[in-house]
């Protein structure tokens, strides 16, 4: 349901007071974050700030020590097995490099969530998988190929097709353009924006790619000092006076990709 002109955007992910630790190492401490329906939010931060850890906590793949995570109005940490299974059908995840099953073809990989979480017939699964593979721009020849036979860019597109297999409301993308050449990365950014608009997706995008932040992200969340240091638009990021934020958004690489008038010292 669309928000009216006087309504605040619906919050579809709400993280409060999150604490995650591995042994004696604390990754997040008191982390808060809201994600709005229909936006593309880019999550950035230095190495070790826990970007992918945050993603995994939100989708229930790891249990934080403290805090509360709500997705689509449900507390992920307090769902029953059946509730979690139903909730999981409402999101899709694409891990780094697609994380495809090596023993399955592209078609089989895209059908996998349907086999696991629906009672669809094999014929309908094949038809729907075929549609998803076409939606991400893969040629017909890719359907019967195995991941090892695909280029890096094609594997990522296949991973994206699997992430949208169940028509989710939210898609989590973990470094989707990492390892791609600039042309391939720009094409994948365009694909994300096109599918987000066509399918009404909310996109949670873990990235370090400044081009992606400029090209497709509505807001950016910066992870630093074990928390979300700042959330806002690209123009708002440029006004933040914090050493890491300034280096990231005003450094040489930022100046190289920024539109004219931005990222200037």
């Amino acid at each position: 349901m669309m928000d009216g002109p006087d309504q605040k955007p619906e919050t579809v992910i709400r993280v409060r007071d999150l604490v995650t630790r591995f042994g004696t190492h604390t990754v997040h401490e008191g982390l808060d974050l809201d994600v709005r329906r229909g936006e593309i939010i880019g999550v950035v931060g230095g190495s070790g700030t826990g970007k992918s850890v945050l993603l995994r906590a939100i989708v229930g793949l790891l249990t934080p020590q403290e805090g509360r995570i709500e997705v689509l109005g449900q507390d992920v940490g307090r769902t029953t097995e059946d509730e979690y299974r139903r909730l999981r059908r409402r999101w899709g995840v694409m891990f780094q490099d697609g994380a495809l099953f090596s023993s399955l073809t592209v078609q089989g990989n895209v059908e996998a969530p349907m086999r696991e979480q629906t009672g669809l017939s094999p014929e309908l699964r094949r038809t729907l998988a075929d549609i998803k593979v076409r939606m991400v721009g893969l040629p017909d020849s890719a359907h019967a190929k195995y991941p090892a036979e695909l280029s890096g860019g094609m594997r990522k597109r296949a991973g994206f097709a699997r992430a949208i297999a169940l028509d989710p409301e939210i898609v989590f993308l973990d470094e989707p353009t990492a390892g791609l050449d600039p042309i391939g990365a720009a094409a994948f950014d365009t694909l994300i924006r096109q599918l987000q608009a066509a399918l009404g997706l909310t996109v949670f995008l873990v990235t370090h790619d400044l081009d992606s932040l400029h090209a497709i992200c509505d807001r950016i969340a910066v992870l630093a000092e074990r928390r979300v240091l700042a959330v806002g638009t690209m123009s708002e990021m440029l006004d933040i006076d914090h050493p890491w934020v300034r280096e990231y958004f005003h450094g040489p690489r930022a100046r190289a990709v920024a539109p004219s008038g931005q990222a200037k010292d």
Side-chain angles (χ1 to χ4, degrees), residues 5-6 9 14 33 114 121 178 193 201 209 227:
D6 298 323
R14 178 178 285 107
L33 179 64
M114 303 179 199
S121 68
R193 176 55 84 182
L201 298 170
D209 193 330
R227 60 190 175 93

PDB file of all heavy atoms in Angstrom, residues 5-6 9 14 33 114 121 178 193 201 209 227:
ATOM      1  N   PRO A   5       0.576  11.569   0.655  1.00  0.00           N
ATOM      2  CA  PRO A   5       1.527  12.675   0.690  1.00  0.00           C
ATOM      3  C   PRO A   5       1.841  13.175   2.084  1.00  0.00           C
ATOM      4  O   PRO A   5       2.903  13.737   2.327  1.00  0.00           O
ATOM      5  CB  PRO A   5       0.829  13.761  -0.158  1.00  0.00           C
ATOM      6  CG  PRO A   5      -0.627  13.382  -0.155  1.00  0.00           C
ATOM      7  CD  PRO A   5      -0.661  11.885  -0.082  1.00  0.00           C
ATOM      8  N   ASP A   6       0.904  12.966   3.040  1.00  0.00           N
ATOM      9  CA  ASP A   6       1.119  13.457   4.397  1.00  0.00           C
ATOM     10  C   ASP A   6       1.509  12.352   5.372  1.00  0.00           C
ATOM     11  O   ASP A   6       1.615  12.578   6.570  1.00  0.00           O
ATOM     12  CB  ASP A   6      -0.151  14.150   4.907  1.00  0.00           C
ATOM     13  CG  ASP A   6      -0.515  15.367   4.060  1.00  0.00           C
ATOM     14  OD1 ASP A   6       0.419  16.070   3.627  1.00  0.00           O
ATOM     15  OD2 ASP A   6      -1.719  15.592   3.845  1.00  0.00           O
ATOM     16  N   PRO A   9       6.787   7.358   5.531  1.00  0.00           N
ATOM     17  CA  PRO A   9       7.023   6.067   4.887  1.00  0.00           C
ATOM     18  C   PRO A   9       6.953   4.935   5.913  1.00  0.00           C
ATOM     19  O   PRO A   9       7.382   5.077   7.052  1.00  0.00           O
ATOM     20  CB  PRO A   9       8.443   6.210   4.315  1.00  0.00           C
ATOM     21  CG  PRO A   9       8.679   7.679   4.225  1.00  0.00           C
ATOM     22  CD  PRO A   9       7.906   8.288   5.342  1.00  0.00           C
ATOM     23  N   ARG A  14      13.136  -2.721  11.359  1.00  0.00           N
ATOM     24  CA  ARG A  14      13.445  -1.877  12.514  1.00  0.00           C
ATOM     25  C   ARG A  14      14.414  -2.635  13.423  1.00  0.00           C
ATOM     26  O   ARG A  14      14.088  -3.715  13.926  1.00  0.00           O
ATOM     27  CB  ARG A  14      12.173  -1.514  13.289  1.00  0.00           C
ATOM     28  CG  ARG A  14      12.435  -0.662  14.539  1.00  0.00           C
ATOM     29  CD  ARG A  14      11.150  -0.289  15.244  1.00  0.00           C
ATOM     30  NE  ARG A  14      10.426   0.764  14.540  1.00  0.00           N
ATOM     31  CZ  ARG A  14       9.304   0.582  13.854  1.00  0.00           C
ATOM     32  NH1 ARG A  14       8.773  -0.633  13.776  1.00  0.00           N
ATOM     33  NH2 ARG A  14       8.701   1.590  13.246  1.00  0.00           N
ATOM     34  N   LEU A  33      18.616   0.994  13.456  1.00  0.00           N
ATOM     35  CA  LEU A  33      18.447   1.277  12.030  1.00  0.00           C
ATOM     36  C   LEU A  33      16.994   1.061  11.639  1.00  0.00           C
ATOM     37  O   LEU A  33      16.372   0.089  12.059  1.00  0.00           O
ATOM     38  CB  LEU A  33      19.340   0.363  11.183  1.00  0.00           C
ATOM     39  CG  LEU A  33      19.232   0.536   9.661  1.00  0.00           C
ATOM     40  CD1 LEU A  33      19.703   1.922   9.240  1.00  0.00           C
ATOM     41  CD2 LEU A  33      20.009  -0.552   8.934  1.00  0.00           C
ATOM     42  N   MET A 114      11.474 -22.336  -4.492  1.00  0.00           N
ATOM     43  CA  MET A 114      10.102 -22.764  -4.756  1.00  0.00           C
ATOM     44  C   MET A 114       9.885 -24.199  -4.293  1.00  0.00           C
ATOM     45  O   MET A 114       8.841 -24.526  -3.722  1.00  0.00           O
ATOM     46  CB  MET A 114       9.795 -22.656  -6.254  1.00  0.00           C
ATOM     47  CG  MET A 114      10.005 -21.277  -6.853  1.00  0.00           C
ATOM     48  SD  MET A 114       9.636 -21.290  -8.624  1.00  0.00           S
ATOM     49  CE  MET A 114      10.494 -19.802  -9.164  1.00  0.00           C
ATOM     50  N   SER A 121       3.674 -27.096  -8.582  1.00  0.00           N
ATOM     51  CA  SER A 121       3.981 -28.244  -9.425  1.00  0.00           C
ATOM     52  C   SER A 121       5.310 -28.018 -10.143  1.00  0.00           C
ATOM     53  O   SER A 121       5.742 -26.863 -10.344  1.00  0.00           O
ATOM     54  CB  SER A 121       2.886 -28.443 -10.461  1.00  0.00           C
ATOM     55  OG  SER A 121       2.896 -27.379 -11.404  1.00  0.00           O
ATOM     56  N   ALA A 178      30.753  -6.381  -6.394  1.00  0.00           N
ATOM     57  CA  ALA A 178      32.161  -6.677  -6.094  1.00  0.00           C
ATOM     58  C   ALA A 178      32.733  -7.611  -7.153  1.00  0.00           C
ATOM     59  O   ALA A 178      32.126  -8.617  -7.513  1.00  0.00           O
ATOM     60  CB  ALA A 178      32.280  -7.313  -4.713  1.00  0.00           C
ATOM     61  N   ARG A 193      17.923  -1.140  -9.937  1.00  0.00           N
ATOM     62  CA  ARG A 193      16.954  -0.046  -9.938  1.00  0.00           C
ATOM     63  C   ARG A 193      15.727  -0.404 -10.757  1.00  0.00           C
ATOM     64  O   ARG A 193      14.583  -0.120 -10.355  1.00  0.00           O
ATOM     65  CB  ARG A 193      17.611   1.229 -10.476  1.00  0.00           C
ATOM     66  CG  ARG A 193      16.659   2.418 -10.612  1.00  0.00           C
ATOM     67  CD  ARG A 193      15.953   2.747  -9.310  1.00  0.00           C
ATOM     68  NE  ARG A 193      16.729   3.594  -8.441  1.00  0.00           N
ATOM     69  CZ  ARG A 193      16.331   3.976  -7.231  1.00  0.00           C
ATOM     70  NH1 ARG A 193      15.172   3.552  -6.749  1.00  0.00           N
ATOM     71  NH2 ARG A 193      17.086   4.742  -6.477  1.00  0.00           N
ATOM     72  N   LEU A 201      10.130  -3.355  -4.840  1.00  0.00           N
ATOM     73  CA  LEU A 201      10.995  -3.941  -3.823  1.00  0.00           C
ATOM     74  C   LEU A 201      11.549  -2.900  -2.854  1.00  0.00           C
ATOM     75  O   LEU A 201      11.750  -1.739  -3.220  1.00  0.00           O
ATOM     76  CB  LEU A 201      12.187  -4.638  -4.488  1.00  0.00           C
ATOM     77  CG  LEU A 201      11.908  -5.816  -5.416  1.00  0.00           C
ATOM     78  CD1 LEU A 201      13.183  -6.206  -6.159  1.00  0.00           C
ATOM     79  CD2 LEU A 201      11.369  -6.993  -4.627  1.00  0.00           C
ATOM     80  N   ASP A 209      30.803   0.151  -3.059  1.00  0.00           N
ATOM     81  CA  ASP A 209      30.921   0.742  -4.395  1.00  0.00           C
ATOM     82  C   ASP A 209      30.326   2.149  -4.409  1.00  0.00           C
ATOM     83  O   ASP A 209      29.103   2.320  -4.343  1.00  0.00           O
ATOM     84  CB  ASP A 209      30.207  -0.165  -5.398  1.00  0.00           C
ATOM     85  CG  ASP A 209      30.533   0.178  -6.842  1.00  0.00           C
ATOM     86  OD1 ASP A 209      30.805   1.356  -7.119  1.00  0.00           O
ATOM     87  OD2 ASP A 209      30.523  -0.742  -7.682  1.00  0.00           O
ATOM     88  N   ARG A 227      28.209   0.902  15.540  1.00  0.00           N
ATOM     89  CA  ARG A 227      26.806   1.317  15.444  1.00  0.00           C
ATOM     90  C   ARG A 227      26.567   1.956  14.080  1.00  0.00           C
ATOM     91  O   ARG A 227      27.496   2.077  13.263  1.00  0.00           O
ATOM     92  CB  ARG A 227      26.475   2.332  16.551  1.00  0.00           C
ATOM     93  CG  ARG A 227      27.332   3.601  16.487  1.00  0.00           C
ATOM     94  CD  ARG A 227      27.164   4.475  17.717  1.00  0.00           C
ATOM     95  NE  ARG A 227      28.070   5.609  17.709  1.00  0.00           N
ATOM     96  CZ  ARG A 227      27.776   6.807  17.225  1.00  0.00           C
ATOM     97  NH1 ARG A 227      26.575   7.026  16.700  1.00  0.00           N
ATOM     98  NH2 ARG A 227      28.642   7.792  17.271  1.00  0.00           N
TER      99      ARG A 227
END
